[in-house]
Amino acid sequence: MEEKLLAAEQTLQKYGQEHLLNSFNSLSKEKQAELLDAILTTDFKQMQELYETTKIKTNFENVKLEPIAHVTKSELSSEELAKYTSLGEDAIKAGKLAVVTMAGGQGTRLGHDGPKGTFDLGLDSHKSIFEILCDTMKEACEKYKVTIPWYLMTSDANNESTIQFWKDNNYFGYPKEAISFFIQGKLPMIDTNGKILLDEDGTIKQAADGHGGIFEAMRKNGVLYDMKEKGIEWIYIGGVDNVLAKMVDPVLTGLAISQRTLMAGKSVVKANPQEKVGVFCKKDNRPNVIEYTEISKELAEAVDERGELLYGESHILCNQFHLSALEKISQNKLPYHVAFKKASYLSDKGEVIKPTEPNAYKFEAFLFDAFSTVDNMSILRVKREDEFAPVKNAKGVDSPETARALYKAFYHMN
Ligand code: UTP
């Protein structure tokens, strides 16, 4: 312990973060050890660099922006549909598809006490979001006579409770051996002066590193090796909070095979130019997503000769990657984006502070930043009412109420 403490002191001094040991003596031996380990494994140089990025205003003006080509599922000819379906079904039946569900988020907007997947959607059956997704997976396994490996990404904050929930519910009848959990990475949170925050328990305040953390997490946790050993070629990656997500879609897989692309994504038409969603596009000739905060009013409203929005393919976090693409992406770090959030912390005087206004920077990687590592990706436009019922907010737009209504309409429930 002495040696570690000395090493920690030296590191903190070098980076002006000495305050992290202010409450050290009042901590239990266990927490002291935890704090020292956290200090010794933190990349302070990276944190310093990330703090510098909070002062830079991103300039989108010099980016060359273009719409991206897409295929509309409902407008495919019967020959095209049959071709994609058959290519995709062959791959799925041969066991070449795996599904990854990202469930590491904090779900702050929903405000549910527990992992978002454990939230009861309010159906008569009182099924949780996890069970609803599991129903979709079971149906696909039955249809294609295959057990699809299913990986769930959690975060430090919700890993234990997530695993416990699945155990308690006997994996909702999904083959237990086909389900694996892995934990995403995390990064310290800092205040407006670049000082790393202490958590209420006296250890470093850390937050999940965003859904873009998935690639590194898959490599570090051996998920990519596991997939390779199983002969998996295509990996669907989606969020936990879309209760109408169709994770196993032969048309999406078949489209990527047919177009010889390594990435594919599903889109739904943007409800209106002002809708707060990111849209697929090409940035500097490569696939990407432009966020609603980045796109000009003029471009957001621009239409083509059919009167359709030029930038109207909403990104719904339903994407598919070839294993070789994941292997490549996971070798490099994606850029981090900064968010200013409310975060409780332990003050220098050892008091727990619960701010009412945002006070801390959180750094997150975005999954879609990986799209630009390929020249082209396949975009499949699907119907919103068939495949997109997100649970984001506690009330109003994209809330349990709207998702429940969409779910019931799709399954013809009363
Ligand atoms: P969101 O961006 O909607 O974040 O995540 P969230 O954490 O669920 O909700 P808010 O913003 O705090 O209210 C979209 C998907 O990405 C996953 C989420 O679990 C969700 O499925 N995600 C997000 C992660 O797995 N890890 C992260 O670090 C962030």
Side-chain angles (χ1 to χ4, degrees):
M1 186 86 120
E2 279 303 304
E3 286 297 316
K4 277 191 175 180
L5 181 59
L6 205 64
E9 277 169 348
Q10 281 170 355
T11 308
L12 295 180
Q13 206 169 16
K14 185 170 168 198
Y15 292 97
Q17 302 282 358
E18 296 93 325
H19 64 286
L20 292 176
L21 288 175
N22 279 356
S23 303
F24 187 76
N25 290 332
S26 59
L27 299 180
S28 65
K29 284 271 167 285
E30 199 191 345
K31 285 290 165 196
Q32 285 183 341
E34 214 179 294
L35 176 59
L36 290 182
D37 282 343
I39 292 172
L40 295 173
T41 51
T42 292
D43 186 342
F44 287 94
K45 190 160 178 291
Q46 179 191 35
M47 293 314 299
Q48 217 169 33
E49 287 165 4
L50 286 175
Y51 174 57
E52 292 307 317
T53 66
T54 65
K55 301 178 200 163
I56 302 166
K57 216 172 155 16
T58 324
N59 180 5
F60 303 109
E61 275 159 25
N62 297 329
V63 175
K64 183 178 149 207
L65 206 64
E66 290 165 292
I68 192 164
H70 67 272
V71 166
T72 303
K73 195 172 182 179
S74 60
E75 289 176 9
L76 289 172
S77 67
S78 48
E79 290 81 20
E80 284 169 322
L81 187 64
K83 179 174 119 185
Y84 299 145
T85 306
S86 139
L87 282 171
E89 279 189 2
D90 286 350
I92 296 165
K93 287 179 182 164
K96 291 181 181 172
L97 179 85
V99 170
V100 183
T101 298
M102 299 183 292
Q106 276 182 295
T108 35
R109 285 169 289 171
L110 181 63
H112 165 59
D113 185 22
K116 208 190 248 187
T118 65
F119 183 78
D120 175 350
L121 190 63
L123 301 169
D124 291 345
S125 61
H126 288 289
K127 285 184 179 177
S128 62
I129 295 182
F130 277 140
E131 184 167 9
I132 290 170
L133 298 184
C134 194
D135 285 347
T136 308
M137 288 294 289
K138 284 196 293 194
E139 197 186 312
C141 290
E142 214 162 282
K143 183 165 178 190
Y144 302 113
K145 310 252 173 307
V146 64
T147 302
I148 298 166
W150 190 8
Y151 300 82
L152 290 122
M153 182 171 84
T154 62
S155 54
D156 237 24
N158 70 17
N159 181 59
E160 264 177 45
S161 43
T162 302
I163 294 178
Q164 196 57 47
F165 186 77
W166 280 86
K167 273 191 194 154
D168 290 347
N169 288 284
N170 215 2
Y171 301 85
F172 303 105
Y174 204 80
K176 187 176 157 229
E177 60 290 351
I179 296 192
S180 341
F181 300 89
F182 66 99
I183 309 179
Q184 70 174 108
K186 55 187 177 180
L187 277 174
M189 290 182 82
I190 57 174
D191 70 11
T192 49
N193 296 313
K195 301 285 179 198
I196 292 177
L197 294 179
L198 278 179
D199 212 342
E200 295 175 31
D201 66 354
T203 58
I204 289 185
K205 177 104 187 163
Q206 313 237 28
D209 60 358
H211 43 59
I214 187 166
F215 305 107
E216 196 179 8
M218 287 176 86
R219 177 172 59 79
K220 283 192 174 166
N221 288 292
V223 174
L224 296 178
Y225 287 113
D226 191 52
M227 290 176 168
K228 201 166 193 162
E229 270 181 13
K230 290 192 166 98
I232 287 157
E233 287 179 19
W234 297 102
I235 298 100
Y236 169 93
I237 301 182
V240 72
D241 49 16
N242 174 7
V243 292
L244 280 183
K246 304 283 175 284
M247 297 82 113
V248 183
D249 182 351
V251 180
L252 186 71
T253 309
L255 182 68
I257 295 172
S258 172
Q259 293 188 336
R260 295 177 192 280
T261 53
L262 298 177
M263 291 182 202
K266 286 190 180 182
S267 68
V268 299
V269 183
K270 201 174 174 184
N272 57 64
Q274 286 76 39
E275 197 190 4
K276 292 182 172 174
V277 288
V279 290
F280 284 105
C281 65
K282 281 211 157 180
K283 270 187 199 170
D284 293 332
N285 301 322
R286 288 174 171 272
N288 216 313
V289 166
I290 183 157
E291 298 221 73
Y292 68 90
T293 45
E294 297 172 3
I295 193 165
S296 68
K297 186 172 179 292
E298 193 190 351
L299 283 187
E301 291 175 354
V303 289
D304 66 11
E305 62 282 358
R306 289 172 67 183
E308 285 197 350
L309 291 175
L310 275 176
Y311 296 92
E313 302 312 310
S314 305
H315 173 246
I316 56 170
L317 209 54
C318 296
N319 300 298
Q320 182 195 269
F321 298 79
H322 193 267
L323 182 62
S324 61
L326 293 182
E327 285 171 337
K328 191 172 154 207
I329 303 162
S330 67
Q331 297 300 327
N332 299 305
K333 276 213 177 295
L334 292 178
Y336 288 108
H337 301 254
V338 59
F340 199 41
K341 300 256 178 183
K342 272 189 279 187
S344 57
Y345 65 99
L346 203 64
S347 75
D348 285 352
K349 293 185 191 124
E351 294 159 346
V352 174
I353 311 285
K354 291 192 187 285
T356 50
E357 294 299 320
N359 62 310
Y361 293 115
K362 180 180 182 208
F363 301 96
E364 290 186 304
F366 294 163
L367 174 131
F368 50 77
D369 277 326
F371 296 163
S372 62
T373 56
V374 289
D375 293 332
N376 228 330
M377 77 185 272
S378 303
I379 310 292
L380 181 67
R381 183 199 283 183
V382 296
K383 286 188 184 156
R384 190 179 274 260
E385 62 271 28
D386 290 350
E387 304 205 26
F388 192 48
V391 181
K392 297 282 183 195
N393 306 305
K395 294 229 159 359
V397 186
D398 298 342
S399 64
E401 197 184 335
T402 56
R404 189 167 56 238
L406 284 160
Y407 182 89
K408 283 183 167 182
F410 182 79
Y411 288 105
H412 309 291
M413 293 172 168
N414 294 321

